[in-house]
């Protein structure tokens, strides 16, 4: 008889730890650290306060890494997740899971906006926050992972990068 640990997929602790760290930042964990320091000292160090808020397009702060780090985590976890499914599940079933995740992320993004239930189209924006960026990136990456060789995945990544206007 096999134990439960034999049937559960192996998790990658480093990705889970990075995801937890990012969630800690996103949910105000750094503000909690600053508040804790302020309990014992008159002021938090200036460098710590700088990294706990967005900067006005001058310089760079740790807070600016939250959204790109989420995208990185999703992209890093996808090959591990998909490799367990490819070959053991039909392609339509994998696409059904992808579609479900994309729809949930888009709807949660609209909920975060606070305008989902207003039913005023002028106040709704279909693509304006991190959750919707993750949904779009996840869909594009899933299609690439399921249908392209590594060489074409690199080419598609370069093409997307060139389309952003960065050089």
């Amino acid at each position: 008889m096999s134990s439960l640990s034999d049937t559960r997929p192996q998790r990658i602790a480093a990705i889970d730890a990075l995801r937890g760290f990012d969630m800690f930042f996103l949910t105000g964990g750094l503000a909690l650290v600053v508040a804790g320091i302020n309990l014992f000292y008159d002021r938090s160090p200036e460098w710590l306060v700088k990294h706990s808020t967005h900067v006005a397009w001058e310089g760079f702060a740790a807070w600016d890494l939250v959204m790109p780090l989420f995208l990185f985590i999703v992209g890093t976890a996808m090959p591990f997740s998909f490799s367990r499914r490819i070959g053991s599940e039909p392609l339509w079933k994998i696409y059904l899971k992808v579609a479900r995740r994309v729809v949930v992320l888009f709807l949660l993004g609209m909920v975060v906006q606070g305008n989902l239930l207003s039913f005023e189209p002028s106040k709704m924006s279909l693509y304006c926050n991190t959750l919707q960026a993750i949904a779009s990136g996840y869909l594009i990456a899933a299609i690439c992972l399921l249908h392209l060789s590594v060489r074409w995945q690199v080419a598609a990544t370069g093409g997307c990068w060139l389309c952003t206007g960065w050089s």
Side-chain angles (χ1 to χ4, degrees), residues 9-22:
Q10 188 70 22
R11 303 233 2 138
I12 300 171
I15 291 175
D16 287 339
L18 190 57
R19 186 180 296 123
F21 174 76
D22 203 29

